[in-house]
Amino acid sequence: MVSAVTQTTGSTAAASSTAATTANTASTEFDTFLKMLTAQLKNQDPLNPMEGTDFAVQLATFSGVEQQAQTNKLLQQMILQQGGAGLGQTAAWIGKEARTTAPVWFGQQALTLDIAPDTRADDVALIALDARGNEVTRELIGPGAGPVEWFGRDAMGNKLADGQYSFVIESLRAGEVIAETQVGAYARIVEAELGEDGVHLVFEGGATAPASEILALRDD
């Protein structure tokens, strides 16, 4: 099993990038201001030197620019530390199976699905969707709730192609659909990464889901 923890561009990474850009801008302005002040002192007219009040204002501006540069450097460090901490905590999930409603990989092994129909239902239709969201199978499984094994067979009993699948159920009563619900499927976590909206988990087969959308964890 291959497992990894990586940090990519994400909300925290984006914030870090923004802080870095701001810090670099402030640092550039600081250097430019220092050069201008030095040049002004070197080239001022000895018979008409800079007024003390003007000099004090420039020194105050100099101090403010320096302080802004230091503040942005500190902000960047804090963001990086927070992002790393969240990623480190999620790394403990690698190797476990997570229940998610995101598409998961189906290959040679059956998938465990968590079925939770409407309590009023007298029958339930389990629908499998491919990676594009197209319906590929539909079967009546009865009104029970709990985990079921999905073996990925079509109406003729042939195995479906390997790929990413997601699932929904239709709760039926007297033949009418009274509710439609996404179904959680278990998939093994092989990687954690920092994405645009926080920490993402990567499953076997390459499917991903935000850590915030994980519904349950279990040991393999």
Side-chain angles (χ1 to χ4, degrees):
M1 178 184 69
V2 178
S3 63
V5 181
T6 59
Q7 183 168 328
T8 61
T9 303
S11 59
T12 305
S16 174
S17 176
T18 301
T21 301
T22 306
N24 290 335
T25 301
S27 179
T28 300
E29 292 175 351
F30 174 81
D31 292 339
T32 302
F33 180 81
L34 182 60
K35 291 177 181 178
M36 291 175 62
L37 182 61
T38 302
Q40 186 176 16
L41 291 174
K42 285 182 178 179
N43 297 291
Q44 67 176 329
D45 185 355
L47 300 178
N48 186 26
M50 185 188 307
E51 292 290 338
T53 54
D54 293 337
F55 187 68
V57 170
Q58 293 199 14
L59 286 179
T61 304
F62 172 83
S63 177
V65 174
E66 180 183 21
Q67 184 177 9
Q68 181 65 37
Q70 294 300 324
T71 299
N72 281 292
K73 287 180 181 179
L74 178 60
L75 176 61
Q76 181 185 6
Q77 292 173 358
M78 291 174 63
I79 290 173
L80 290 173
Q81 290 173 358
Q82 291 174 356
L87 195 61
Q89 292 174 357
T90 312
W93 295 2
I94 293 175
K96 296 182 180 294
E97 288 189 336
R99 192 174 80 218
T100 176
T101 56
V104 297
W105 179 262
F106 169 69
Q108 300 304 313
Q109 301 295 325
L111 293 176
T112 300
L113 308 181
D114 187 61
I115 305 298
D118 190 293
T119 55
R120 300 169 295 164
D122 56 24
D123 206 350
V124 172
L126 173 62
I127 303 164
L129 309 173
D130 62 19
R132 296 182 178 180
N134 299 317
E135 181 177 321
V136 290
T137 65
R138 174 186 290 260
E139 55 184 319
L140 295 176
I141 60 174
V148 300
E149 298 297 301
W150 185 76
F151 294 92
R153 297 293 190 269
D154 62 20
M156 302 298 295
N158 300 313
K159 178 184 176 299
L160 297 176
D162 292 359
Q164 294 184 15
Y165 294 86
S166 59
F167 306 88
V168 297
I169 55 171
E170 290 180 349
S171 297
L172 306 172
R173 185 174 181 83
E176 298 293 330
V177 177
I178 59 174
E180 183 176 292
T181 312
Q182 288 185 301
V183 175
Y186 282 94
R188 187 201 303 272
I189 302 169
V190 297
E191 184 178 347
E193 64 180 18
L194 207 55
E196 292 185 356
D197 53 353
V199 177
H200 279 238
L201 300 176
V202 181
F203 305 113
E204 283 185 336
T208 64
S212 60
E213 295 182 6
I214 298 305
L215 305 175
L217 288 172
R218 71 179 188 182
D219 289 326
D220 183 18

